[in-house]
Amino acid sequence: MNLAALSLEKAPRLWTPVRFFISAPVFGVIAATIVFMDGGQLFQSRWSSASLAVVHAFTLGYIAMVMLGALFQMLPVVMGAALPQAGRIAVVAHLVMTAGTLFLVVAFLLQEPALFLVAIALLVPLLVLFGAGVIVAIFRAGQTLTTGRSVQLAALGLVVTVVMGAWLASGHAFAAVPLDRSFTNDHAAWGFTGWILVLVIGISGQVVPMFLTTPQYPKYAGKGLVYMLVALLCAGSLVPLREFQQLVVVLTSVLMLAWAVLTLYLLGRRRRKRFDITDRFWRVGMLCLVLGTGTNLYAYFGGTVAGADISVATGIFLLPGFAVSVINGMLYKIVPFLVWLNLRVPVVMGKLKPGRKYYTPNIHEVIDVQRMKLQFAFHVAGLLLLVASIFLEGITVYAAATAVLVSSLLLLANLCHAVRLYRKYARQTIAVR
Amino acid sequence: MKKRSLDVRGLEAPQPLERILEVLATLQVDEQLDVTHWREPLLLYPVLAEHGWKYRAEYDERAGTWLISIWKDGH
């Protein structure tokens, strides 16, 4: 019998989210490969097949993949005994999510209607059911979950984004359905603000002070901010008046900038000043949120730089720049924490052979800091080169793709190292249980 | 039931969880542990359920703290 595999199955708290977490950098590799193959055309227009494929490799394959894993871990905690099969549901959800995203990415690249259809059939039921499940689970749990309302609204944002996305994908799949490009802006706004940003704001109130020893966020920067963002999003989608929509975009941008600056201020006031890789990732993320909000406003009001499509820069700043940076930083806290927890609990709870000493690695030993620093360097280089690729062709594009590729592979290696370390120590303890 | 208390406010993760687990390892069946925490320790709950501990969590809005009471199943 394979003891290592057995021990992983016995640690659903570790394996349920980790299977999603490890898939994220694989989609980073896929995105980098598409940039390589495309050779730079995608930096000229947000509408090219390759840009749409890369955007969805990041949003579904990387960002939503990690967020689903993290929420799957929390759902059974919130639901208690009501969802005993959460571990098994997560296995199926992970497979469907991976397959559905691959089909969608290839569908964009080949512009093949049948592949869009398969992607819709896989992703829409999964994500709508998942979003609805999160909303219901938190309602049932009542007031116990402090970030509950924000997570519920984010789940609603996910459902709206997916339904809009399904309509747009139907435009690619069926000749009878019109492909309404103007609808894409609503789909993107709900996806970024309603799903990604609302969830990040919601959980940062908990995780930033806890993992980075910053002061607490002020109360208005949590639920109040999230309510305002969602209200503005609804207003912008429902009222088709040009001047009103301009006002909505300006107000939303002000709120996003204020939150990014507040987070940077809190990160500057950490109680422990020692080097922390998550702190660095979050600073880069917040800086990119500021830049992305700025370029979005500039492009919205018709601004251009050297004739380039600035909305591509907005996409780079907000997706790999903001969302991927904060998620990458958080993975370096959550994965070592879960490895430590799953090794430590049986030792402390006295489930092992009495009288024998068991060594649990320190949380800071789970992933070597130098390896994380190296990955961070490639991540930042990748971001700079991606932005430069909008203006410079040729070698810059291939350098950008290489940096994203190496960064993703290093993240994958670091996460796999954490799992191997868990297996090594779990084997020692499981042998005497 | 005898009560023991533990204040883990201001500690960097994962120290709050580690302290709680260490006290639980020595907690007797007629004892209750009252933990004061800045945040709700959501990751602790499945561990408690798995090992037969009961718990009750309350949020004190005025103090901005959570009070989590933990005791052994059977009481």
Side-chain angles (χ1 to χ4, degrees):
Chain A
M1 187 186 292
N2 183 348
L3 283 177
L6 185 68
S7 65
L8 263 183
E9 281 160 23
K10 275 191 169 178
R13 282 189 304 273
L14 181 67
W15 198 230
T16 297
V18 160
R19 74 173 74 243
F20 287 89
F21 296 166
I22 283 183
S23 307
V26 175
F27 278 94
V29 170
I30 291 171
T33 309
I34 297 170
V35 176
F36 248 121
M37 285 162 42
D38 178 72
Q41 289 298 311
L42 79 159
F43 292 103
Q44 305 312 312
S45 165
R46 63 184 285 210
W47 301 110
S48 76
S49 301
S51 11
L52 291 168
V54 168
V55 163
H56 288 86
F58 273 124
T59 51
L60 286 167
Y62 194 115
I63 300 163
M65 187 71 82
V66 173
M67 287 174 163
L68 248 65
L71 289 172
F72 256 115
Q73 191 201 4
M74 295 316 299
L75 264 185
V77 181
V78 177
M79 296 275 287
L83 195 58
Q85 301 298 320
R88 283 183 198 167
I89 295 171
V91 174
V92 177
H94 173 253
L95 280 175
V96 175
M97 183 73 183
T98 307
T101 307
L102 284 173
F103 272 106
L104 187 66
V105 168
V106 178
F108 275 122
L109 287 175
L110 303 180
Q111 288 296 313
E112 174 57 49
L115 295 177
F116 278 107
L117 207 59
V118 179
I120 294 172
L122 289 170
L123 292 172
V124 177
L126 168 74
L127 295 174
V128 170
L129 276 176
F130 179 79
V134 170
I135 294 169
V136 171
I138 295 172
F139 268 128
R140 279 210 212 159
Q143 291 303 310
T144 56
L145 194 65
T146 40
T147 51
R149 207 56 75 218
S150 305
V151 177
Q152 264 181 328
L153 283 170
L156 179 72
L158 173 68
V159 172
V160 174
T161 309
V162 169
V163 171
M164 286 177 167
W167 175 248
L168 287 163
S170 303
H172 288 279
F174 305 105
V177 179
L179 180 57
D180 184 2
R181 291 288 200 195
S182 63
F183 198 53
T184 307
N185 287 339
D186 284 318
H187 168 65
W190 275 91
F192 181 75
T193 314
W195 156 237
I196 298 172
L197 188 63
V198 164
L199 192 60
V200 171
I201 292 175
I203 60 161
S204 337
Q206 294 280 312
V207 298
V208 171
M210 178 166 77
F211 282 121
L212 293 168
T213 63
T214 68
Q216 302 283 333
Y217 276 86
K219 274 196 175 161
Y220 56 79
K223 246 190 273 182
L225 175 61
V226 162
Y227 284 145
M228 278 194 278
L229 284 171
V230 175
L232 283 167
L233 204 51
C234 291
S237 296
L238 296 174
V239 183
L241 291 171
R242 175 100 183 124
E243 290 75 12
F244 182 77
Q245 290 191 336
Q246 287 178 344
L247 181 68
V248 166
V249 169
V250 171
L251 288 176
T252 305
S253 303
V254 169
L255 292 177
M256 280 159 61
L257 286 173
W259 183 77
V261 171
L262 171 65
T263 305
L264 282 170
Y265 169 76
L266 292 177
L267 290 173
R269 296 190 59 203
R270 290 172 57 215
R271 282 200 304 277
R272 288 178 184 80
K273 297 289 182 197
R274 67 155 186 259
F275 177 83
D276 188 298
I277 198 77
T278 303
D279 170 59
R280 297 299 158 97
F281 271 107
W282 273 62
R283 282 171 195 256
V284 169
M286 293 308 137
L287 193 62
C288 285
L289 182 57
V290 170
L291 292 169
T293 308
T295 53
N296 184 47
L297 259 185
Y298 185 67
Y300 187 81
F301 288 99
T304 55
V305 178
D309 184 354
I310 292 302
S311 59
V312 176
T314 305
I316 294 170
F317 284 131
L318 296 184
L319 297 175
F322 165 71
V324 169
S325 297
V326 297
I327 288 172
N328 196 149
M330 218 21 97
L331 284 176
Y332 281 150
K333 286 290 178 197
I334 295 171
V335 172
F337 178 77
L338 289 174
V339 166
W340 171 85
L341 181 72
N342 282 281
L343 288 173
R344 192 70 192 146
V345 165
V347 176
V348 176
M349 290 302 202
K351 291 285 173 189
L352 304 176
K353 205 172 181 177
R356 187 171 159 171
K357 291 266 185 206
Y358 293 94
Y359 175 70
T360 312
N362 184 292
I363 200 159
H364 301 293
E365 295 167 24
V366 175
I367 305 175
D368 179 54
V369 72
Q370 294 305 328
R371 291 181 184 197
M372 293 192 284
K373 276 184 180 173
L374 184 66
Q375 192 252 321
F376 175 74
F378 275 98
H379 174 70
V380 173
L383 291 176
L384 293 171
L385 289 164
L386 282 173
V387 175
S389 298
I390 301 171
F391 307 102
L392 303 168
E393 292 172 3
I395 189 103
T396 318
V397 174
Y398 294 104
T402 308
V404 174
L405 183 77
V406 175
S407 167
S408 303
L409 287 172
L410 288 173
L411 174 61
L412 183 64
N414 288 344
L415 297 179
C416 288
H417 175 80
V419 172
R420 270 201 307 277
L421 186 111
Y422 169 78
R423 284 182 159 161
K424 178 183 158 194
Y425 287 99
R427 200 177 288 133
Q428 289 175 5
T429 54
I430 207 168
V432 293
R433 256 182 241 186
Chain B
M1 200 184 293
K2 267 200 299 193
K3 292 203 176 186
R4 285 163 72 174
S5 58
L6 179 66
D7 188 343
V8 294
R9 286 174 294 180
L11 294 178
E12 187 181 5
Q15 286 176 39
L17 207 51
E18 180 147 39
R19 299 270 175 94
I20 295 168
L21 292 175
E22 266 158 16
V23 177
L24 284 181
T26 65
L27 202 71
Q28 303 299 310
V29 280
D30 57 344
E31 286 183 315
Q32 175 179 312
L33 174 64
D34 291 333
V35 181
T36 313
H37 203 320
W38 284 128
R39 278 165 290 278
E40 189 173 17
L42 288 170
L43 288 171
L44 175 67
Y45 297 162
V47 175
L48 295 177
E50 226 170 82
H51 294 86
W53 298 94
K54 290 278 185 193
Y55 67 90
R56 184 178 54 241
E58 282 167 34
Y59 182 63
D60 182 343
E61 194 136 353
R62 223 176 30 170
T65 55
W66 284 86
L67 180 69
I68 304 103
S69 304
I70 307 165
W71 65 95
K72 197 74 183 174
D73 202 359
H75 278 266

